[in-house]
Amino acid sequence: MGGYFFRQAWQNLKQNIWINAVTLGTIVISFIILGFFLVVFVNADGLLEEWKSRIRVTAYLPNSLTTEQIKQLQDRILSWPEVQGIGFRSKEEALKALEGRLPGRKGLLKGIPRNPLPASLEIQLKPGYRNSIGVEQLVERMRGNPQIEGLQYGAEWVEKFSAFLILVQVLGLGLGGLLFVSTFLVIANTIRLNIFARQEEIEIMRSIGATGFFIRAPFYIAGVFQGILGAGLAVLILFFFFRLFLREVYDPLKPILGDLAINFLSAEQTTAMVLGGLVIGFLGTQVAVGRFLRI
Amino acid sequence: MVEMVHVSKAYTQSPQALRDITLQVEKGKFVYLVGPSGAGKTTLLKLLYAAERPTEGEIWVNGVEVPRLKPREIPSLRRNLGIVFQDLKLLPRWTVFENVALALEIWGGERKDIIKRAVEAIRLVGLEGKSSSLPSQLSAGELQRVAIARAIVNNPPLVLADEPIGNVGLGAAEEILKLFADINLRGTTLILATQNQNLPALLPKEIIVLENGRLLENSLSRVVKGWP
């Protein structure tokens, strides 16, 4: 019986080939747009996480502190709930780092009689505190401490990017929802036309004892097939353009972008897209069959 | 096999389509249901395969009380019947083989077995060589044979045929009747509706006569006389 259902589903698709082709095209375009937003969001989100992990608070230490006092200060800071890790940078290391940032201008620093740079503590926050509130909380704890000469921090730009990402997410979800509904309606309408085209056959099948399941199954298979094929094709097309983007845009800009990695959808996300196609195909058929196939 | 007890059927436009019909068809019988156009033959057959519900009365087919069937139980009743419809109800875009095999597909089963049984049924009705033809490429007699093949392909215990010889010439009608007789010899109960009063003489069997929705005769192996 299974083979029969698939043959009939194929007949359904063939019978109104142009309408079914347009439906498939609509599904493909909708899923390309959805997939594009997903790729942008996933990469931007990855970038945000990377930037967040770089959020640090630098505490500059006075020259008067002894090694023992620095050790005690480090231990105290490490005991705070916001703090994930702490690194010490001596005056010498700070100077070396500065020299490293001034290639070819080392001479500038040679004229200085003594190292003016202070030793510092690089404080790394736990993931839940990598935002302006977490940073402020940590800074408040350290402010006024005589063992700390100065503080350097900044998370506002991360906050702004995070807000931008939320906007992208809302736009993506809104547009995705609209596309989902319109694709669903297009599928439902196509299945309705398939049903009308086969009205006589359906009537004859009923007359000789076909069950509702027997009559409906090929329509469901056709709808689900279109959904899966459309979403699958969208992923392939998206992947093609992603590779093209890497080759034509990303690779030439790599020296500027540095280590910034761009990824395509993961296996799970790709599967979710194809499953989305299946669901939309099923729901579209369900509505058309429920409304127009009276058995 | 088939029993109708005080069955009546009224339509809005035909208040007395069938009136107080009581009859019994035993297993293995070949029964002619004869009567002029509008006598109620098609209505009677439709009641048997639950395409219509009686206004009153009891109808039993294969041990099932038909009027009490829920809509979802009707397909099961029909799958256990062979039905040759007056308008044949062949799928115009399907080949002879596909039309016949459809009844088996509805039953389900192995593709191999479906092919074997459909080919056998097509051979039995004498249409070997026409398996790939579309209905539009066949004569009236051949179309009837396709409809008969589809009706018998599942070896149903009861076959209902509505005017299976109405649109064919006398020679073809005789051949179709012989085909029905062969099917009957294999143990299948047959109820064949016709308005041709002469045909039962070709193959005398039990005859039920309907006129204006009433049962006039219910006799064994004789030709009804005096019926216009």
Side-chain angles (χ1 to χ4, degrees), chain A residues 1 4 7-8 15 197-198 200-201 204-211 214, chain B residues 75 78-79 83 85 89-94 102 105-106 108-109 111 150:
Chain A
M1 196 183 276
Y4 167 83
R7 286 196 304 278
Q8 285 312 302
Q15 205 157 321
R198 308 201 75 164
E200 188 188 5
E201 291 174 15
I204 291 171
M205 286 178 188
R206 284 182 57 200
S207 303
I208 60 172
T211 58
F214 185 89
Chain B
R78 292 182 187 166
R79 283 198 301 276
I83 309 168
F85 299 94
K89 292 197 190 298
L90 296 176
L91 295 160
R93 283 187 289 266
W94 294 30
L102 175 64
E105 299 278 11
I106 288 171
R111 180 77 183 146
R150 187 183 63 191

Side-chain angles (χ1 to χ4, degrees), chain B residues 44-103:
Chain B
L44 192 147
L45 292 182
K46 281 185 172 176
L47 289 172
L48 295 181
Y49 61 83
E52 297 287 354
R53 296 178 80 86
T55 313
E56 57 185 287
E58 285 178 31
I59 301 169
W60 295 81
V61 174
N62 291 338
V64 174
E65 192 174 3
V66 178
R68 286 187 185 272
L69 287 176
K70 294 183 179 116
R72 67 166 189 277
E73 294 169 328
I74 292 173
S76 171
L77 169 84
R78 292 182 187 166
R79 283 198 301 276
N80 285 292
L81 298 174
I83 309 168
V84 181
F85 299 94
Q86 191 169 9
D87 57 356
L88 303 179
K89 292 197 190 298
L90 296 176
L91 295 160
R93 283 187 289 266
W94 294 30
T95 65
V96 168
F97 173 82
E98 287 167 339
N99 267 287
V100 175
L102 175 64

Side-chain angles (χ1 to χ4, degrees), chain A residues 2-281:
Chain A
Y4 167 83
F5 289 153
F6 282 100
R7 286 196 304 278
Q8 285 312 302
W10 182 240
Q11 284 295 327
N12 281 349
L13 293 172
K14 269 200 328 190
Q15 205 157 321
N16 286 316
I17 193 152
W18 290 111
I19 293 166
N20 283 297
V22 168
T23 304
L24 186 65
T26 310
I27 299 169
V28 170
I29 291 167
S30 299
F31 274 84
I32 284 176
I33 295 170
L34 284 177
F36 171 76
F37 267 89
L38 197 56
V39 170
V40 168
F41 180 75
V42 163
N43 281 291
D45 197 48
L47 190 63
L48 181 69
E49 286 306 313
E50 166 66 18
W51 285 347
K52 275 184 173 178
S53 72
R54 290 185 196 172
I55 293 177
R56 284 188 180 32
V57 174
T58 307
Y60 296 105
L61 307 176
N63 292 337
S64 56
L65 283 190
T66 62
T67 313
E68 186 55 34
Q69 283 173 317
I70 293 170
K71 178 79 177 69
Q72 281 171 0
L73 181 63
Q74 265 184 302
D75 289 345
R76 197 161 77 246
I77 292 172
L78 256 178
S79 69
W80 295 339
E82 308 90 333
V83 178
Q84 185 173 50
I86 193 162
F88 173 70
R89 178 181 274 190
S90 66
K91 287 168 68 71
E92 293 70 31
E93 284 167 340
L95 186 64
K96 259 190 194 161
L98 183 62
E99 283 173 353
R101 278 186 232 146
L102 298 169
R105 293 182 187 174
K106 282 183 184 168
L108 283 175
L109 298 172
K110 289 245 169 83
I112 300 171
R114 60 182 180 85
N115 182 358
L117 299 176
S120 61
L121 294 175
E122 295 272 328
I123 305 156
Q124 197 186 348
L125 287 101
K126 282 183 181 163
Y129 295 93
R130 288 172 189 167
N131 50 47
S132 58
I133 296 169
V135 169
E136 280 300 332
Q137 200 173 312
L138 181 64
V139 166
E140 271 312 302
R141 282 182 191 273
M142 291 190 285
R143 198 164 276 157
N145 187 331
Q147 292 184 317
I148 295 170
E149 207 170 50
L151 289 162
Q152 193 184 55
Y153 55 91
E156 291 81 6
W157 55 276
V158 176
E159 291 284 297
K160 280 176 187 162
F161 187 71
S162 187
F164 168 72
L165 263 194
I166 291 169
L167 183 71
V168 169
Q169 201 172 7
V170 168
L171 269 178
L173 281 175
L175 191 66
L178 280 175
L179 286 171
F180 199 85
V181 170
S182 58
T183 308
F184 155 80
L185 290 175
V186 168
I187 293 178
N189 196 47
T190 306
I191 300 291
R192 181 179 70 96
L193 292 173
N194 287 342
I195 290 170
F196 286 164
R198 308 201 75 164
Q199 204 65 53
E200 188 188 5
E201 291 174 15
I202 291 166
E203 191 54 44
I204 291 171
M205 286 178 188
R206 284 182 57 200
S207 303
I208 60 172
T211 58
F213 172 78
F214 185 89
I215 293 169
R216 289 186 191 108
F219 293 107
Y220 277 100
I221 291 172
V224 166
F225 173 75
Q226 279 189 317
I228 292 176
L229 183 68
L233 281 174
V235 170
L236 284 178
I237 293 169
L238 211 55
F239 185 68
F240 170 79
F241 280 107
F242 178 77
R243 296 300 300 261
L244 197 69
F245 172 79
L246 285 187
R247 204 180 62 213
E248 301 296 328
V249 180
Y250 177 75
D251 287 346
L253 289 176
K254 213 166 182 180
I256 302 166
L257 296 170
D259 289 338
L260 179 66
I262 295 183
N263 299 307
F264 190 64
L265 301 174
S266 66
E268 289 82 6
Q269 287 158 344
T270 306
T271 310
M273 287 259 293
V274 176
L275 283 178
L278 184 153
V279 169
I280 208 169

